[in-house]
């Protein structure tokens, strides 16, 4: 159920690039990690994301599913595109990200997020600095994402002793 809820929230709000994250899904001890950054706290994560990515950035969600190979984990596959606010601003070549969200067994809240990329960091940087190398020296851009119909799951209401 949490995977479907996060799928709907991410599909609508694209918080991986907007920072518009709903903190109710995250534990107080939430930690984030990618190949370049480590931080603690969902508010710090949201501020950092909002500051890093430009307004034209997109986090197009391909899938958000319970990971059957890693316990207590929801894996989100998504396409990152747009710009980053580094120096004068750089456009980044679209690439695929894999985000593992670790869910605490007791609280049911996300306590850890780790992002991995389908291309190495040098490819991302080289493609941003020298876009004419894309598809020649560096990998081609990730393909477009097909739109999906994603709906927020409806909570089942139980009326105890009323009906």
């Amino acid at each position: 159920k949490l995977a479907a809820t996060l799928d709907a929230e991410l599909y609508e709000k694209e918080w991986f690039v907007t920072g518009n994250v709903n903190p109710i899904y995250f534990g107080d001890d939430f930690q984030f990690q990618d190949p370049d950054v480590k931080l603690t706290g969902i508010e710090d994560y949201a501020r950092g994301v909002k500051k890093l990515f430009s307004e034209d950035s997109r986090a197009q969600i391909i899938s958000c599913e319970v990971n059957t190979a890693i316990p207590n984990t929801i894996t989100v596959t998504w396409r990152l595109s747009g710009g980053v606010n580094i120096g004068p601003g750089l456009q980044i070549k679209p690439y695929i990200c894999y985000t593992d969200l670790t869910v605490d067994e007791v609280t049911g809240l996300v306590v850890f997020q780790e992002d991995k990329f389908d291309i190495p960091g040098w490819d991302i940087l080289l493609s941003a600095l020298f876009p004419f190398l894309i598809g020649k020296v560096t990998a081609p851009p990730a393909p477009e994402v097909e739109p999906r119909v994603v709906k927020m799951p409806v909570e089942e209401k139980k009326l105890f002793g009323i009906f």
Side-chain angles (χ1 to χ4, degrees):
K1 172 124 170 139
L2 180 60
T5 302
L6 293 176
D7 190 25
E9 289 258 354
L10 278 163
Y11 196 83
E12 178 187 339
K13 297 179 182 175
E14 298 186 23
W15 82 62
F16 290 155
V17 296
T18 65
N20 184 17
V21 60
N22 189 338
I24 67 167
Y25 304 113
F26 296 85
D28 292 337
D29 54 348
F30 170 78
Q31 294 185 339
F32 169 82
Q33 175 178 320
D34 74 11
D36 302 310
V37 177
K38 282 186 182 182
L39 59 82
T40 300
I42 194 61
E43 290 82 12
D44 286 348
Y45 168 81
R47 274 193 297 277
V49 164
K50 189 172 180 75
K51 187 176 176 183
L52 176 62
F53 292 102
S54 61
E55 298 218 358
D56 70 332
S57 294
R58 297 288 316 274
Q60 296 171 284
I61 308 304
I62 298 167
S63 65
C64 180
E65 301 169 336
V66 173
N67 189 320
T68 55
I70 307 170
N72 307 315
T73 301
I74 295 169
T75 298
V76 184
T77 303
W78 54 287
R79 181 183 187 261
L80 173 62
S81 63
V84 291
N85 299 315
I86 296 175
L90 292 171
Q91 283 299 114
I92 50 175
K93 167 181 69 181
Y95 60 93
I96 302 298
C97 302
Y98 304 96
T99 297
D100 284 335
L101 302 169
T102 304
V103 179
D104 183 277
E105 284 185 64
V106 177
T107 65
L109 299 174
V110 176
V111 292
F112 184 66
Q113 174 178 327
E114 183 173 14
D115 290 358
K116 298 174 188 159
F117 314 130
D118 76 335
I119 57 175
W122 64 263
D123 186 316
I124 297 166
L125 182 61
L126 204 57
S127 296
L129 294 173
F130 306 105
F132 57 87
L133 296 177
I134 296 173
K136 297 174 180 64
V137 174
T138 65
E144 293 290 331
V145 174
E146 291 294 321
R148 301 184 293 135
V149 175
V150 179
K151 294 181 180 173
M152 182 64 79
V154 179
E155 284 229 14
E156 294 177 26
K157 304 276 186 218
K158 293 189 167 73
L159 302 173
F160 297 103
I162 298 174
F163 295 105

